[in-house]
Amino acid sequence: MLGKTPPMGWNSWNTFTWDINDELIRGIADKFITEGYRDAGYEYIVIDDCWSLKERDSHGKLVADPKKFPKGIKSLADYVHSKGLKLGIYSCTGTHTCAGHPGSLEHEFSDAAQFAEWEIDFLKYDYCFKPRNISGELLYKRMSLALKNCGRDILFSACNWGEDDVYNWAREAGAHMYRSTHDIRDNWESVKGLALSQLDKTAYTGSFCHNDMDMLVVGMHGASNDDFIGKKGGCTDTQYKTHFALWCMMGSPLMIGFDIRKDHQPTKHILLNRDLIAINQDPESRGAYRIKPEPNWFHSNDVFMLVKTLTNGDIALGFFNLSDADREVPLLFWDIGLPFASGISLSLYDCHQHKELGIFRERFAPKVPAHDCVVVRAKFSLDAGV
Ligand code: GLA
């Protein structure tokens, strides 16, 4: 079964765009092991756009660019598999991919067979150059059928940027994850905008079909080779910390965009946070709901709490301050279904400091600096002497 919890991995696009090759992907696979990414749960290494030649061969098959991938895709898949990891590739519903390489329109079944032959494990399927009069929903259903019947387990990552009411049909169409937003950029406004845009969509995510808020820019600090994604400094480490916590709490797939061959401790620290990953990977994959803090008139929409019900009865609580000023962000336990009269308190564990904070009754009100967050895991506590 694929996609029970949000897929985790690395994707070439955000940092490298067109500039990808065999050596890069093998190097990333090596770092998955030596830097602890595989042990933390990251699994898929995805080659995004620009891996193929601009024309199919005389049999109508996709051809890996021999300059970039001289040993071919199957050899790369073998290498990635030898590390206990999985390999992903990219195509498009339309005639061409977004960067102008051949898309899979009218080649869905033969392309899926070819991906299976190469032992691919994941397909990201984009939305560029789709003829206007063909339904996107139908094209995703087509590729889903092709993948499900190609003789290999291939996770289906739909990428239509939240368009055409995708929330209403992605699950039925067979996608294991579906992009719900336009492309992320390596700056705070983009990260914040994407998160805010999905706060009222949490009912549409869940096991086997996850709302994909786009790949992470955590740690990139302006390292993309593409102006659109961002070459200008990126975010602060605090903003990246909040970005990661939002994606974890909101159940998004966690696809790293940072060049993990670089040794940058604060970034590693964010991406390998096991307590946050455990929340993201909770088996039931429930969406998180939002609560606005009281008093209502004081807070803007960019200060909020997220509550995620976990399988073992714990509750993950995220206190997010996306505003530009420091704030106290108070949660009344009443608002998550816990009346004072029940005699139940919450024992709170801080998922960034990795320590117990103690037992709290009736409310918890952390002070959260601008652009920062606090995430705690709450357990029921019956021994508060009430
Ligand atoms: C679209 C997608 C991106 C990336 C590029 C590749 O913009 O949304 O994630 O795959 O195409 O061209």
Side-chain angles (χ1 to χ4, degrees), residues 13-14 48-50 90 97-99 124 126 128 159 161 179 181-183 214-215:
W13 186 253
N14 280 349
D48 208 283
D49 205 350
C50 305
Y90 165 99
T97 71
C98 300
K124 174 173 170 182
D126 216 333
C128 283
C159 177
W161 323 310
R179 268 281 294 285
T181 62
H182 278 264
D183 290 13
D214 204 358
M215 303 166 296

Side-chain angles (χ1 to χ4, degrees), residues 36-55:
Y37 289 94
R38 184 185 63 182
D39 288 348
Y42 294 94
E43 188 180 17
Y44 291 97
I45 299 186
V46 182
I47 312 170
D48 208 283
D49 205 350
C50 305
W51 60 270
S52 76
L53 287 180
K54 291 243 165 139
E55 301 294 338

Side-chain angles (χ1 to χ4, degrees), residues 19-324:
D19 192 13
I20 50 177
N21 58 58
D22 181 272
E23 196 189 330
L24 164 69
I25 304 296
R26 285 176 201 247
I28 294 289
D30 294 344
K31 291 291 178 183
F32 261 61
I33 314 305
T34 54
E35 302 299 307
Y37 289 94
R38 184 185 63 182
D39 288 348
Y42 294 94
E43 188 180 17
Y44 291 97
I45 299 186
V46 182
I47 312 170
D48 208 283
D49 205 350
C50 305
W51 60 270
S52 76
L53 287 180
K54 291 243 165 139
E55 301 294 338
R56 290 174 178 267
D57 71 10
S58 56
H59 305 288
K61 291 196 164 194
L62 294 166
V63 185
D65 184 331
K67 287 209 188 79
K68 295 176 177 173
F69 298 98
K71 298 177 186 155
I73 302 295
K74 171 71 169 66
S75 152
L76 188 52
D78 289 345
Y79 186 78
V80 168
H81 293 152
S82 76
K83 303 274 170 187
L85 300 168
K86 294 182 172 163
L87 186 65
I89 209 160
Y90 165 99
S91 189
C92 194
T93 48
T95 58
H96 292 81
T97 71
C98 300
H101 295 256
S104 289
L105 183 68
E106 306 294 339
H107 294 270
E108 291 87 355
F109 290 87
S110 53
D111 284 355
Q114 186 168 9
F115 297 144
E117 202 181 299
W118 287 341
E119 300 195 7
I120 289 291
D121 308 291
F122 178 116
L123 177 68
K124 174 173 170 182
Y125 205 46
D126 216 333
Y127 211 46
C128 283
F129 302 109
K130 175 187 81 63
R132 289 191 195 282
N133 294 327
I134 302 182
S135 133
E137 177 179 348
L138 186 66
L139 292 181
Y140 279 103
K141 285 178 177 158
R142 221 191 250 182
M143 186 47 105
S144 165
L145 279 181
L147 292 175
K148 284 225 188 299
N149 293 285
C150 72
R152 186 173 174 83
D153 282 343
I154 300 186
L155 190 141
F156 190 26
S157 164
C159 177
N160 88 328
W161 323 310
E163 294 195 353
D164 299 333
D165 290 327
V166 67
Y167 303 96
N168 294 329
W169 52 260
R171 180 175 291 271
E172 295 164 7
H176 296 102
M177 55 193 264
Y178 63 96
R179 268 281 294 285
S180 51
T181 62
H182 278 264
D183 290 13
I184 197 166
R185 304 173 77 167
D186 187 14
N187 64 57
W188 174 241
E189 287 66 38
S190 169
V191 167
K192 175 175 164 177
L194 296 189
L196 292 177
S197 77
Q198 296 308 300
L199 286 176
D200 62 351
K201 298 285 192 295
T202 58
Y204 298 97
T205 200
S207 288
F208 309 113
C209 188
H210 305 273
N211 178 337
D212 174 10
M213 291 158 51
D214 204 358
M215 303 166 296
L216 301 165
V217 290
V218 172
M220 285 176 56
H221 290 292
S224 179
N225 64 1
D226 184 77
D227 274 328
F228 176 79
I229 297 168
K231 291 180 174 175
K232 289 206 192 101
C235 303
T236 64
D237 287 331
T238 298
Q239 291 165 345
Y240 285 136
K241 166 191 164 192
T242 301
H243 168 24
F244 190 72
L246 283 163
W247 266 234
C248 285
M249 284 294 296
M250 294 174 79
S252 180
L254 302 175
M255 302 302 292
I256 299 171
F258 164 69
D259 180 358
I260 61 168
R261 297 170 309 170
K262 285 187 184 161
D263 184 24
H264 188 249
Q265 285 308 314
T267 298
K268 250 185 94 174
H269 197 69
I270 294 171
L271 293 171
L272 295 177
N273 183 326
R274 282 170 190 268
D275 290 321
L276 287 180
I277 291 174
I279 291 170
N280 178 264
Q281 293 293 302
D282 186 70
E284 288 187 1
S285 279
R286 296 191 184 279
Y289 61 90
R290 170 182 34 174
I291 297 181
K292 290 188 181 177
E294 290 291 330
N296 215 2
W297 49 262
F298 180 70
H299 293 286
S300 53
N301 279 340
D302 41 20
V303 179
F304 55 87
M305 293 158 291
L306 289 174
V307 183
K308 182 171 157 88
T309 303
L310 303 175
T311 309
N312 72 347
D314 290 359
I315 306 163
L317 301 171
F319 301 79
F320 291 96
N321 177 8
L322 310 190
S323 81
D324 297 334

